[in-house]
């Protein structure tokens, strides 16, 4: 209950205007890559948008009919005009676009789609979305998915800090989207195909998990919680949960076996 | 009266009409192309085809359909050549086209009934869904084109002014042949391959 | 140039042939305008209900809330909320913007600007209007079905839009309505393309056409090619819903040989990305023209602008994958879609430079249409640049399906198209209805709309960046979003102000059309394109004599001009 009261205290805080506009706190190891790229794009955009505004407002001021009686007659087909326009076109393309595309692609290939290897010993979690709840499944003591000792959590995901976590996501009914605002990730949960997502957290605490894809009337209530522990606390919790799973899981219940064998 | 000289006005109307018909056919091609795109996706991502233990569709009825629609295209083409020359036999070729169109529809109905007889229903999975839906969509267009054929009945009068009717003959003809080509592609990709 | 001469028939006399079964492109254009404005009002009201719910959850919607939602005491219920945003998106895109920009101005301007007496196929034109009306009836009928209208978002992704997610008839009617509207728009497109190719006045080459006609023509091409793709998707969805096929259905188990919900997303966005350009291209064309008309200066690099628009038209067909990054594509695909998407910025930057080049050293007259055109340049600059965040895959992973996306596409598709549409209405009002709209109230309308609109959409981008995702009935069930309540309230007040300011426009418009005595002159804006050579409003069959075109559409401020005019008509030899 201490964590819950922490949340309440949090919301009672007096936010400044600037804090209200900021992204949720970044708790993942690689989330800063996205924040950084966003900021970088923003600076470049501001520069170009400043040019556009300078054009609109500057020309409107300088060349209004009152001030500038006679327009300069040109079709913009002189060599210098074509050069200037082409330079503007290419500078946007090379200056911003190729620049951020390359960075984004490097990040994607190098980090976000660079799945944890066996050697990283990632924590594996199977996620099943349904209208309107999230189910999380840990392999349990035997390390094999879809067996009777699996730890199954409803809307309550617990992960360790400092260890890679790898998710396989699927949906039971409609398309959902598993969204970790604090880790800057999301991936769609699609019926009939497995999608993947991984992150590594650097801060422990109690955070929101959201569904980002419209999934019906109660889409807005499809909320889950992410609790991150330090290694030791996580192991303690895991042990407790595994014991509980072995003691309390109903082997006869077919609903227990919604998981799938973990491949790759 | 059978006046066949090419005025600038007549030329202009012909070109205008054929441009519009080209756009129409592009639009319809995109419709069928999207369907085939979907089919390709299912086919490529599936481990075995047909999936879920279905058997391939017996080739006999689709082949009859192919033959009928090909013949109807030929007979329409004959009708059109006779029409342009203002010659004899318009009525015969036209009636043959109408009949072959009807026969094609009948062959499609037999195809659906033979599938039903085998216990394959449209709800049973992706394979019957594709077979049924694509033939439905195509058949719906054939019905439309078949109804449009009756728009050509006035052209059967002897000794009319070709200029007044030529564009509708050309356009309906193009659409008729287009549906033949679509069926041929469907036959090759969905039944043969 | 015209391939054949269109005959002049007598003007229709009876009410039916004049207003219901009219073949006249001008009448059909006006009918589409009324149709569009009606739905703009309905869609706008829905937007206000959405905004009200977001800012004041649990409070009754003022004035009409108790009448609309008696069971909840005036509060918008969650299922109705889902219907509202679905219908808002659908109505605004397909039933407001499309009829106003493409239906109305496409019909009205193409024949007038290229010197034709009517469209190439007037009957097809009329059928296109009638199908659009039928489609609207189908769509609105959904609201009166037991389970209500479609509620799966305007993208209506399966499996939410199949029987699994929405069992009501509303979704079927929605799909059918979109299918019928697709046929209607394709008919229009066939007409526009043929008319532009075959009925240009003698002497008018493609580059002598005003850029508005370029924009509308390119739109028509995209419509004719890509609406059938959506049509195919809708057909399969209808089959899934009505006949029980399994194209988009799949179970929890990842097996092959079943349906695939993602297939619909592919089909939808193959259509959907060009659709964005279908909506914006007419506005670009109109703005390119108006900037030149009011800067009293030839359009800067008009040929380059036309070719840039063409390039964008082609590129728009190749980039749709950036809508689907979160469905997990291979890095190879994401990289190609990213790069292709970015390539669009070259032609965009070129015509932006051309727009600014047009007003550079001009002699700018700030009439209402010019203000709206400059507004388009401003908001499209913002909308275009914010697209970069969504084109790069890593930032999109965070921003996808947040309000940032909503803000971005409203800037590009809603704000710029709305402002462009208003510019066109204010500008062509004298030619359509023979009266001028009030300038003062037009300017008031512009400034309030401009501030309201930026408040709304800028606010959306701010909350989106802060992590608020789309289509939430009550976002504040998430703890981390509670800090955004004041910003949401601000957005809502901006939206209310923007919505109320449209009343100024409606009053101005209705007064001018029905009550204003003072008639407009033939050429009140002193513009040289063909439609301004004939009386206002345009007479039956437009041109008594088909004009012969001798110069380009943007001849202003030529120093060799003598006399008191600073412009040339297109029918005059270039001095």
């Amino acid at each position: 209950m201490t964590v819950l009261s922490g949340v309440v205290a949090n919301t009672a805080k007096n936010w400044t205007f600037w804090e209200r506009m900021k992204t949720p706190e970044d708790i993942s190891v690689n989330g800063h890559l996205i924040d950084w790229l966003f900021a970088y794009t923003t600076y470049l955009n501001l520069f170009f948008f400043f040019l556009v505004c300078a054009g609109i407002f500057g020309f409107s001021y300088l060349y209004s009919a009152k001030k500038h009686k006679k327009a300069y007659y040109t079709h913009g087909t002189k060599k210098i005009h074509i050069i200037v326009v082409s330079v503007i076109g290419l500078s946007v393309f090379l200056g911003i676009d190729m620049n951020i595309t390359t960075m984004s692609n490097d990040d994607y290939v190098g980090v976000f789609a660079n799945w944890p290897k066996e050697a990283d010993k990632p924590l594996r979690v199977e996620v099943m979305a349904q209208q309107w709840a999230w189910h999380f499944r840990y392999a349990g003591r035997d390390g094999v998915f879809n067996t009777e000792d699996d730890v199954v959590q409803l809307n309550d995901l617990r992960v360790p800090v400092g260890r890679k976590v790898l998710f396989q996501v699927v949906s039971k009914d409609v398309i959902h989207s598993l969204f970790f605002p604090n880790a800057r990730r999301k991936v769609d949960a699609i019926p009939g195909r497995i999608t993947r997502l991984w992150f590594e957290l650097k801060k422990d605490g109690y955070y929101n998990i959201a569904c980002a894809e419209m999934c019906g009337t109660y889409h807005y209530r499809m909320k889950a919680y992410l609790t991150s522990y330090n290694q030791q606390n996580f192991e303690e919790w895991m042990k407790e949960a595994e014991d509980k799973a072995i003691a309390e899981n109903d082997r006869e219940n077919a609903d227990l076996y919604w998981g799938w064998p973990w491949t790759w | 009266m059978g006046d066949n000289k090419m005025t600038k006005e007549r030329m202009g109307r012909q070109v205008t009409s054929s441009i519009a018909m080209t756009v129409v056919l592009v639009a319809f091609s995109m419709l069928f192309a999207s369907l085939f795109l979907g089919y390709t996706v299912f086919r490529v991502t599936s481990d075995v085809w047909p999936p879920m233990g279905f058997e391939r569709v017996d080739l006999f009825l689709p082949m009859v359909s192919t033959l009928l629609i090909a013949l109807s295209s030929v007979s329409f083409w004959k009708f059109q050549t006779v029409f342009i020359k203002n010659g004899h036999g318009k009525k015969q070729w036209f009636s043959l086209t109408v009949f072959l169109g009807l026969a094609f529809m009948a062959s499609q109905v037999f195809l659906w009934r033979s599938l039903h007889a085998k216990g394959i229903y449209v709800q049973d999975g992706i394979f019957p869904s594709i077979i049924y839906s694509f033939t439905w969509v195509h058949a719906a267009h054939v019905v439309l084109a078949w109804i449009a054929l009756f728009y050509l009945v006035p052209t059967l009068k002897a000794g009319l002014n070709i200029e007044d009717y030529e564009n509708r003959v050309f356009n309906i003809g193009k659409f008729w042949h287009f549906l033949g080509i679509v069926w041929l592609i469907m036959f090759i990709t969905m039944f043969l391959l | 140039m015209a391939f054949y001469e269109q005959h002049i028939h007598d003007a229709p006399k009876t009410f039916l042939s004049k207003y219901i079964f009219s073949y006249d492109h001008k009448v059909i254009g006006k009918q589409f305008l009324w149709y569009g404005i009606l739905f703009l009002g309905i869609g706008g009201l829905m937007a206000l209900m959405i905004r009200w719910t977001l800012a004041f959850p649990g409070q009754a919607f003022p004035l009409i809330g108790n009448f609309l939602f008696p069971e909840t005491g005036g509060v918008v219920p969650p299922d109705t909320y889902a219907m509202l945003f679905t219908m808002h998106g659908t109505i605004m895109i397909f039933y407001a913007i499309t009829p106003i920009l493409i239906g109305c101005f496409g019909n009205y301007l193409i024949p007038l600007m290229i010197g034709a007496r009517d469209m190439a196929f007037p009957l097809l034109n009329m059928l296109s209007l009638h199908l659009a009306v039928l489609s609207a009836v189908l769509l609105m009928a959904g609201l009166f079905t037991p389970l209500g209208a479609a509620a799966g978002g305007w993208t209506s992704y399966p499996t939410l839009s199949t029987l699994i997610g929405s069992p009501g008839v509303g979704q079927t009617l929605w799909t059918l309505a979109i299918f019928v509207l697709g046929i209607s728009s394709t008919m229009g497109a066939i007409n526009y393309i043929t008319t532009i190719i075959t009925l240009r006045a003698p002497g008018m080459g493609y580059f002598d056409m005003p850029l508005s006609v370029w924009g509308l023509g390119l739109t028509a091409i995209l419509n004719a090619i890509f609406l059938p793709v959506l049509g195919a998707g809708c057909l399969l969805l209808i089959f899934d819903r009505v006949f029980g096929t399994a194209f988009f259905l799949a179970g929890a188990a990842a097996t092959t040989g079943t349906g695939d919900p993602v297939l619909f997303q592919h089909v939808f966005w193959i259509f959907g990305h060009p659709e964005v350009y279908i909506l914006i291209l007419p506005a670009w064309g109109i703005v390119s023209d108006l900037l030149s008309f009011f800067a009293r200066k030839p359009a800067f690099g008009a040929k380059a602008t036309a070719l840039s628009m063409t390039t964008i038209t082609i590129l728009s067909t190749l980039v749709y994958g950036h809508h689907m990054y979160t469905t997990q594509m291979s890095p190879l695909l994401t990289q190609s879609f990213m790069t292709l998407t970015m390539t669009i910025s070259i032609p965009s930057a070129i015509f932006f430079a051309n727009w600014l080049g047009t007003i550079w050293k001009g002699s700018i007259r700030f009439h209402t249409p010019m203000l709206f055109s400059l507004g388009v340049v401003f908001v499209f600059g913002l909308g275009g640049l914010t697209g970069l965040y969504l084109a790069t895959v890593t930032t999109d992973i965070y921003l996808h399906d947040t309000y940032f996306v909503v803000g971005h596409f409203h800037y590009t598709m809603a704000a710029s198209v709305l402002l462009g549409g208003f510019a066109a209405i204010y500008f062509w009002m004298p030619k359509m209805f023979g009266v001028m709209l009030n300038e003062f109230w037009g300017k008031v309308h512009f400034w309030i709309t401009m501030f309201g609109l930026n408040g709304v959409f800028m606010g959306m981008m701010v909350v989106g960046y802060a992590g608020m995702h789309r289509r939430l009935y009550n976002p504040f069930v998430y703890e981390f979003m509670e800090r955004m309540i004041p910003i949401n309230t601000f957005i809502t007040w901006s939206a209310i102000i923007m919505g109320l300011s449209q009343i100024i426009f409606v009053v101005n418009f209705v007064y001018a059309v029905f009550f204003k005595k003072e008639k407009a002159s033939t050429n009140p804006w002193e513009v040289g394109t063909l439609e301004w050579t004939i009386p206002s409003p345009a007479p039956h069959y437009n041109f008594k004599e088909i004009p012969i075109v001798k110069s380009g559409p943007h001849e202003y401020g030529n120093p060799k001009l003598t006399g008191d005019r600073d412009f040339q008509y297109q029918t005059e030899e270039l001095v």
Side-chain angles (χ1 to χ4, degrees), chain B residues 12 21 23 38 75 90 113 153 175 186:
Chain B
M21 201 57 206
V23 182
S75 78
K90 270 196 286 193
R113 287 184 57 167
V153 169
F175 193 59
M186 276 169 70

Side-chain angles (χ1 to χ4, degrees), chain A residues 16-45:
Chain A
T16 64
F17 180 61
W18 184 244
E19 281 168 331
R20 288 179 195 282
M21 295 175 29
K22 282 211 307 212
T23 45
E25 185 190 3
D26 176 24
I27 56 163
S28 80
V29 171
N30 294 306
H32 68 277
L33 290 172
I34 288 173
D35 291 355
W36 189 86
L37 189 67
F38 190 97
Y40 182 76
T41 315
T42 307
Y43 294 131
L44 292 175
N45 274 354

Side-chain angles (χ1 to χ4, degrees), chain A residues 9 84 92 104 188:
Chain A
V84 168
V92 173
S104 182
D188 285 358

Side-chain angles (χ1 to χ4, degrees), chain C residues 75-330:
Chain C
V75 181
V76 180
D79 52 342
T80 309
Y81 178 80
M83 263 169 242
L84 282 176
F85 66 68
T86 306
M87 296 300 265
H88 165 73
T90 314
I91 284 177
M92 285 305 200
I93 289 169
F94 294 108
Y95 297 85
I97 297 173
T98 308
I100 292 180
L101 266 293
I102 306 170
C104 165
F105 287 105
N107 260 314
Y108 203 84
L109 294 182
I110 289 175
L112 281 173
M113 283 186 143
I114 64 173
R117 290 202 169 115
D118 204 326
M119 284 286 178
F121 306 106
L123 172 69
L124 197 65
N125 212 3
M126 181 191 84
L127 288 177
S128 153
L129 173 78
H130 289 180
L131 277 184
V133 172
L134 172 70
S135 155
V137 170
L138 284 174
L139 184 84
M140 299 316 273
L143 288 169
F144 303 100
T145 55
L147 289 176
W154 83 277
T155 50
S156 76
Y157 282 172
T159 46
L160 183 60
S161 58
T162 60
L163 293 177
I164 294 179
S166 26
V169 190
Q171 183 71 44
T172 315
L173 284 172
W174 182 93
T175 323
L176 204 60
I178 297 298
F179 185 75
V180 174
L181 194 79
I183 300 174
S184 149
S185 293
T186 314
M187 283 175 164
I190 293 162
N191 226 336
Y192 297 174
I193 296 170
T194 318
T195 308
I196 290 174
I197 295 177
T198 61
L199 288 177
R200 277 166 295 130
M204 184 180 255
Y206 286 109
F207 288 107
D208 297 327
M209 299 190 308
L211 291 166
S212 311
V213 179
W214 267 91
L216 290 162
L218 292 170
T219 290
I221 292 174
L222 281 178
N223 257 337
I225 297 179
F226 289 104
L227 274 169
V229 179
L230 178 70
C234 284
L235 266 186
L236 296 188
L237 191 55
I238 292 175
F239 286 166
D240 268 12
R241 295 183 59 87
V242 179
F243 302 119
T245 54
F247 290 106
F248 305 128
L249 299 177
T255 49
T256 66
T258 62
D260 184 4
V262 178
L263 177 67
F264 183 86
Q265 296 190 18
H266 282 285
V267 172
F268 186 87
W269 290 116
I270 288 174
F271 150 81
H273 198 78
E275 170 72 9
V276 176
Y277 292 93
I278 287 170
L279 300 176
I280 191 69
L281 273 166
W284 282 346
I286 286 166
V287 166
S288 310
D289 274 345
L290 293 193
L291 287 176
S292 153
F293 294 164
F294 287 95
R296 314 307 297 169
K297 196 169 160 283
F300 193 89
K303 218 176 227 184
T305 309
L307 292 177
S308 303
M309 293 203 289
T310 315
T311 318
I312 291 181
T313 306
I314 297 165
L315 284 174
S316 75
T317 63
L318 304 172
V319 302
Y320 77 93
H322 61 227
H323 294 268
M324 296 168 60
Y325 286 149
T326 54
T327 58
Q328 200 136 76
M329 298 182 191
S330 79

Side-chain angles (χ1 to χ4, degrees), chain C residues 559-572:
Chain C
K560 291 190 199 125
L561 269 174
T562 48
D564 50 357
R565 273 203 272 140
D566 69 338
F567 68 101
Q568 276 187 276
Y569 284 107
Q570 278 194 274
T571 47
E572 296 167 337

Side-chain angles (χ1 to χ4, degrees), chain A residues 94-145:
Chain A
L94 299 174
I96 320 187
D97 296 354
M98 279 304 101
N99 201 347
I100 58 173
T101 303
T102 320
M103 287 185 211
S104 182
N105 191 55
D106 289 349
D107 288 351
Y108 192 64
V109 174
V111 178
F112 297 99
N114 184 11
W115 307 106
K117 309 274 178 314
E118 203 64 45
D120 296 330
K121 292 208 166 33
L123 172 69
R124 290 168 175 157
V125 185
E126 289 186 346
V127 184
M128 188 186 62
Q130 74 171 89
Q131 283 179 326
W132 291 278
W134 293 102
H135 300 272
F136 302 99
R137 172 181 289 261
Y138 303 83
R141 194 150 286 163
D142 62 356
V144 181
F145 278 97

Side-chain angles (χ1 to χ4, degrees), chain A residues 122 130 140 169 190 236:
Chain A
Q130 74 171 89
V169 188
I190 302 165
E236 270 169 36

